[in-house]
Amino acid sequence: MIRFGIIGTNWITDRFIQAAGEVDGCQLGAVYSRTEERARSFAETHGIRDWFTDIDVMASKEHIDAVYIASPNSFHCSQAIPFLRKGIHVLCEKPLASNEREVQEMIAAAKENDAFLMEAVRTTFLPNFQLLREKLHTIGTIRKVNVSCCKYSSRYDAYKDGTILNAFNPAFSNGALMDLGVYCIYPMVVLFGEPKEIKATGTMLDSGVDGSGTVIMKYDEMEVVSIFSKISNTHIPTEIQGEDGTVTIDQIGEFSTLTFYYHNGEKCVYTQKEDFPYMYYEINEFVSIIKKGGEYESAINSYEHSLISSRVMDNARKQIGLVFPADRI
């Protein structure tokens, strides 16, 4: 039985608990929040035995085997490392950290203490993403990818009314690139590896974060154009264009339907049934590797993929002038 601690008490942790309930070998044992009231309330609501407001105290407890971190991005590194140094495995929400330097520190702590660290990018474990990897060769040499993740944030309404919530606060290493751009960049890194060149543009808000942006990842024979926004919506699918055909993905964050269009007129639609909540697949990967033993890295959401993705985002941020307090340390 893998005994989990939870860091953070927001809507995504509720979904984690729901999905973890479907994974064999998961048990919730502790929760952390920055406020005592929230930690106690969350623990009581979900029947969790222990609650904490001190990360170091929580990391010292012997009844925790792994933690799921879903706190603001700026806290990921400082909260993960105390657990990793105790040999406690860490499943950390995307993006893994504020920048590549922090990602490197987290990976080093994991390796030095035989702990398993994995970035919780859910899409790369979904059945349709795996199907895409298997069938991508059927459209021939890839030449162009247009990937889009634009979702108008309800928090932007508050922002326009003068209230800057976490989602638009650079102190928490937030913004469109970190929140939604990662959904465009990470899966493309898994599919195609590290790009040769990065070009980025962005729309900066007065708070100091990006409201929207575009990142072009150039490879030897192709390019990936990623468009992301928290201040507008999109209704166009992601499209991967090959010399023999094109595949569309209805929503890059969901991967529920793939449609292959071939030059010979053939059309194939794939909708892999997901029998579990969408977070189940990443949790199942994480738990399976721990239970197997002897391995400390996912082959899909690997250290290399997390490093490349953070490097791409660091490069893009530098080009658009997006700087976080975490970058100045």
Side-chain angles (χ1 to χ4, degrees):
M1 185 67 68
I2 307 301
R3 300 165 297 180
F4 267 94
I6 295 176
I7 312 297
T9 54
N10 52 39
W11 64 271
I12 196 67
T13 50
D14 287 331
R15 293 191 178 181
F16 172 85
I17 290 171
Q18 178 190 12
E22 302 285 345
V23 178
D24 290 336
C26 282
Q27 181 180 1
L28 300 179
V31 62
Y32 164 90
S33 181
R34 285 171 285 175
T35 67
E36 180 177 333
E37 179 182 0
R38 183 60 179 159
R40 181 190 295 112
S41 174
F42 193 88
E44 291 174 352
T45 298
H46 294 285
I48 299 173
R49 187 182 73 178
D50 294 324
W51 52 267
F52 298 89
T53 58
D54 188 303
I55 287 290
D56 292 323
V57 172
M58 183 175 175
S60 69
K61 298 301 179 181
E62 295 183 355
H63 64 276
I64 298 174
D65 302 308
V67 292
Y68 168 66
I69 297 179
S71 54
N73 303 331
S74 58
F75 296 119
H76 288 180
C77 180
S78 62
Q79 291 177 341
I81 286 180
F83 292 98
L84 294 169
R85 286 175 175 167
K86 296 286 186 178
I88 296 171
H89 311 296
V90 173
L91 176 63
C92 184
E93 266 303 328
K94 57 78 191 167
L96 193 57
S98 298
N99 50 46
E100 184 188 2
R101 174 185 56 78
E102 289 187 346
V103 172
Q104 290 175 334
E105 291 175 5
M106 294 165 73
I107 291 172
K111 290 181 175 180
E112 290 168 6
N113 296 280
D114 290 336
F116 174 33
L117 170 68
M118 192 179 89
E119 187 167 3
V121 181
R122 67 176 186 263
T123 48
T124 47
F125 296 109
L126 294 177
N128 265 336
F129 183 81
Q130 298 305 316
L131 184 64
L132 176 65
R133 294 183 77 184
E134 293 172 10
K135 294 187 175 294
L136 195 57
H137 71 278
T138 66
I139 64 171
T141 302
I142 307 300
R143 294 303 188 187
K144 183 85 169 181
V145 180
N146 296 308
V147 54
S148 178
C149 189
C150 302
K151 296 182 180 180
Y152 185 91
S153 172
S154 61
R155 294 172 179 83
Y156 188 53
D157 291 333
Y159 178 89
K160 290 188 290 186
D161 288 337
T163 301
I164 301 176
L165 301 176
N166 290 3
F168 293 100
N169 189 339
F172 296 108
S173 303
N174 274 333
L177 173 64
M178 301 294 277
D179 188 23
L180 298 180
V182 65
Y183 281 121
C184 301
I185 293 166
Y186 197 100
M188 297 302 110
V189 167
V190 174
L191 289 175
F192 306 118
E194 185 161 14
K196 303 293 184 181
E197 183 182 350
I198 299 293
K199 290 187 177 181
T201 60
T203 300
M204 298 298 294
L205 303 178
D206 291 340
S207 67
V209 302
D210 58 324
S212 65
T214 300
V215 173
I216 301 175
M217 302 164 61
K218 292 194 172 184
Y219 295 81
D220 286 335
E221 297 182 321
M222 58 167 284
E223 67 177 13
V224 175
V225 180
S226 299
I227 301 172
F228 44 89
S229 176
K230 292 176 68 68
I231 57 176
S232 62
N233 283 321
T234 185
H235 297 284
I236 61 172
T238 286
E239 188 176 69
I240 302 176
Q241 302 172 8
E243 292 187 353
D244 297 327
T246 297
V247 57
T248 62
I249 304 159
D250 58 342
Q251 293 185 47
I252 194 65
E254 305 298 332
F255 272 88
S256 58
T257 302
L258 305 176
T259 305
F260 286 77
Y261 300 88
Y262 297 100
H263 293 344
N264 63 5
E266 183 182 2
K267 175 182 174 181
C268 299
V269 180
Y270 299 95
T271 303
Q272 291 280 80
K273 182 180 180 182
E274 296 178 9
D275 297 319
F276 302 98
Y278 61 75
M279 289 184 70
Y280 163 89
Y281 300 94
E282 61 186 311
I283 301 170
N284 187 61
E285 167 84 355
F286 184 74
V287 169
S288 296
I289 290 176
I290 294 174
K291 291 167 71 174
K292 183 178 180 181
E295 296 181 9
Y296 301 100
E297 183 177 0
S298 167
I300 299 173
N301 285 14
S302 65
Y303 294 154
E304 180 184 17
H305 291 152
S306 292
L307 282 167
I308 293 172
S309 297
S310 64
R311 197 148 53 235
V312 169
M313 291 192 288
D314 281 2
N315 190 328
R317 288 199 296 113
K318 183 177 181 180
Q319 291 185 43
I320 67 174
L322 176 54
V323 180
F324 300 135
D327 300 324
R328 301 189 180 101
I329 296 174

